[in-house]
Amino acid sequence: SSRGPAQGTGPGTAARGGGTSQGAGTETRPLTCTVVVDVRGLGRLESAMTSFVMDSAGNQVWPDAELVRGVSTQLVQEGNLQHYVRSEADLAPYKNVTRVKASRLRPTKFAPNSNYLTDVELSADAAQAFRSAGKACRVVYLRD
């Protein structure tokens, strides 16, 4: 493809990624990794402004709490840090992909007793694979 560098709107950019940059929040640079979380067959994962990936012990795997501390939910969303797709073909634009299978869907961590399932849980092995992908990865949920 001869589209040239992404300009902040496609799946390859993030407004203010992780790392040690002390920018003013206007930096636009490529995300270096994508983790595809396969939730097919687990029920209905709702789209949400912010979702969380947890390990089986209840620890937050994504987004990395330190990297997003003080970053508004709107900026995280505008930064293309999470996406939802329904087919393998929809994964084609993403590079440096690590794939994991979710073990179950969870209610939003903001309302743990609700039936609104926006978060996912990973087994210990899947959580380790996720963490090994990198700290500032985009998440793409592959759902039914």
Side-chain angles (χ1 to χ4, degrees):
S1 154
S2 60
R3 298 185 331 180
Q7 297 298 316
T9 57
T13 62
R16 192 160 198 264
T20 58
S21 171
Q22 296 299 315
T26 57
E27 175 183 343
T28 300
R29 64 185 179 135
L31 288 168
T32 59
C33 52
T34 298
V35 178
V36 173
V37 179
D38 186 343
V39 299
R40 294 175 296 180
L42 297 177
R44 181 178 167 82
L45 179 69
E46 302 287 347
S47 299
M49 286 294 288
T50 304
S51 68
F52 296 90
V53 177
M54 312 297 277
D55 66 17
S56 57
N59 300 306
Q60 184 174 317
V61 176
W62 185 89
D64 183 279
E66 289 302 311
L67 292 179
V68 297
R69 185 178 310 279
V71 177
S72 74
T73 299
Q74 180 181 353
L75 183 59
V76 170
Q77 187 67 19
E78 288 172 356
N80 293 314
L81 296 181
Q82 80 184 27
H83 295 275
Y84 300 87
V85 300
R86 295 196 182 274
S87 74
E88 295 283 340
D90 292 336
L91 297 174
Y94 301 102
K95 305 300 178 220
N96 193 15
V97 171
T98 299
R99 296 175 72 114
V100 297
K101 176 70 176 160
S103 53
R104 71 181 188 107
L105 304 181
R106 297 172 60 126
T108 173
K109 79 176 209 172
F110 302 117
N113 295 320
S114 77
N115 291 326
Y116 191 65
L117 304 176
T118 63
D119 298 353
V120 301
E121 182 178 301
L122 303 178
S123 69
D125 288 344
Q128 181 56 44
F130 191 113
R131 288 182 181 108
S132 295
K135 286 192 170 206
C137 295
R138 163 195 314 106
V139 165
V140 178
Y141 294 104
L142 177 57
R143 60 187 180 179
D144 296 315

